[in-house]
Amino acid sequence: MKFAIALLLSVGTASAYTPPILATVKSKKQQLVQTPTSGVPFNVPSEALPWSNAPATLDGSLIGDVGFDPVGFSTCNMAEFFDKGATDSMSNVQWMREAEIAHGRIAQLAVLGFIIPALVGTFPGNEWTGLDAYSNTNPIEAVSQVPTLAFFQIVAAASWVELRRVNFIKEEGSSRVPGDIRLGQGEGRFNPLGLDYSEEEFKEKQLQEIKHCRLAMIGAIGLLLQNSNSGTDVVSQLSGAFVMPEYTAKAGYFLPVGI
């Protein structure tokens, strides 16, 4: 429930990006190449879209880079947009990865927020908040029932995390690993689980995270739209999907009545 609110607070940031306008030019081999107004050619074979090329900015240096950027977001001057005037900043592609991981992590929490309340249960209410303050398992409807102080608690916690992340970006500059919030293994980091991966294992975990982030962003949008359309929590809809229709119990009836 609370995680769903965090998702709604975050989706607006994507609207700040303005993709470059693509132009068609001919290379030396007289092959058509899509080039944005920024001058970055689309000449890298795309693993995600084998029939097209990706911008030259996607050179495979980032973990999880499969050349998916048909619009050309990676060619935008994100360093200038987010870190104007800075002399030591991440590259444009690293800024995009920073945003991708941040949104992906929020989306993963949002997916859990859509599922866990109906599957496991909600927080108990009390006389001060109201006995049913947290009882609604529909995340969209629950937003209007959550006490105002609880809502501000979510905003304050998210703001604290974001401010720390911004400070890390300023401190680390071009040496920053996108998405690093100083959790997990490493000297001076908060590592309550005692994680200690090898270099190869750590890269594999980074790949797993970015894949989960991308899947969660798609899943969160799907859950949000489905919940808005049906007005029912996700778990209730899933349970109904496994119910056998009555007409299937009759021999020879393979289609619903009337078809």
Side-chain angles (χ1 to χ4, degrees), residues 180-202:
D180 182 10
I181 53 175
R182 299 184 185 178
L183 294 177
Q185 68 185 61
E187 184 178 354
R189 297 170 179 271
F190 183 61
N191 187 16
L193 300 179
L195 302 178
D196 186 22
Y197 297 115
S198 65
E199 183 177 352
E200 290 302 318
E201 290 173 335
F202 187 69

Side-chain angles (χ1 to χ4, degrees), residues 109-139:
L109 295 176
V111 169
L112 292 177
F114 269 95
I115 297 174
I116 288 180
L119 188 64
V120 179
T122 60
F123 293 118
N126 54 53
E127 293 183 0
W128 178 68
T129 61
L131 297 178
D132 61 346
Y134 306 107
S135 62
N136 199 328
T137 56
N138 184 328

Side-chain angles (χ1 to χ4, degrees), residues 12-250:
T13 57
S15 62
Y17 302 145
T18 303
I21 300 174
L22 299 179
T24 302
V25 298
K26 288 187 177 181
S27 66
K28 294 181 180 179
K29 295 183 180 180
Q30 300 300 310
Q31 294 176 338
L32 293 179
V33 178
Q34 294 292 326
T35 305
T37 53
S38 60
V40 179
F42 280 53
N43 57 4
V44 177
S46 172
E47 182 182 343
L49 304 173
W51 59 87
S52 66
N53 289 336
T57 47
L58 299 183
D59 56 5
S61 58
L62 291 178
I63 292 177
D65 177 8
V66 291
F68 182 82
D69 189 12
V71 179
F73 283 118
S74 63
T75 66
C76 298
N77 193 354
M78 290 298 163
E80 178 66 21
F81 181 82
F82 285 111
D83 212 4
K84 189 174 183 178
T87 57
D88 183 33
S89 181
M90 293 185 291
S91 67
N92 296 328
V93 176
Q94 287 177 318
W95 272 105
M96 294 298 295
R97 173 53 60 88
E98 182 80 29
E100 182 180 26
I101 292 178
H103 286 85
R105 288 169 176 169
I106 293 174
Q108 289 179 80
L109 295 176
V111 169
L112 292 177
F114 269 95
I115 297 174
I116 288 180
L119 188 64
V120 179
T122 60
F123 293 118
N126 54 53
E127 293 183 0
W128 178 68
T129 61
L131 297 178
D132 61 346
Y134 306 107
S135 62
N136 199 328
T137 56
N138 184 328
I140 296 178
E141 294 179 356
V143 173
S144 61
Q145 291 185 221
V146 174
T148 304
L149 288 179
F151 182 81
F152 281 111
Q153 176 189 8
I154 298 169
V155 174
S159 300
W160 179 78
V161 172
E162 281 298 287
L163 287 175
R164 282 180 57 83
R165 188 170 66 90
V166 170
N167 288 333
F168 294 156
I169 292 173
K170 292 180 178 179
E171 291 174 9
E172 297 165 7
S174 59
S175 64
R176 175 172 174 76
V177 176
D180 182 10
I181 53 175
R182 299 184 185 178
L183 294 177
Q185 68 185 61
E187 184 178 354
R189 297 170 179 271
F190 183 61
N191 187 16
L193 300 179
L195 302 178
D196 186 22
Y197 297 115
S198 65
E199 183 177 352
E200 290 302 318
E201 290 173 335
F202 187 69
K203 289 181 179 180
E204 179 62 26
K205 293 301 179 183
Q206 288 180 304
L207 179 60
Q208 291 174 2
E209 181 185 28
I210 197 64
K211 286 182 176 181
H212 292 156
C213 284
R214 291 165 179 170
L215 182 61
M217 286 187 280
I218 297 173
I221 291 296
L223 290 170
L224 179 63
L225 294 177
Q226 180 66 17
N227 190 271
S228 300
N229 181 62
S230 66
T232 308
D233 66 83
V234 177
V235 175
S236 297
Q237 295 180 60
L238 286 177
S239 60
F242 295 100
V243 175
M244 192 69 69
E246 293 182 5
Y247 62 82
T248 60
K250 300 179 182 180

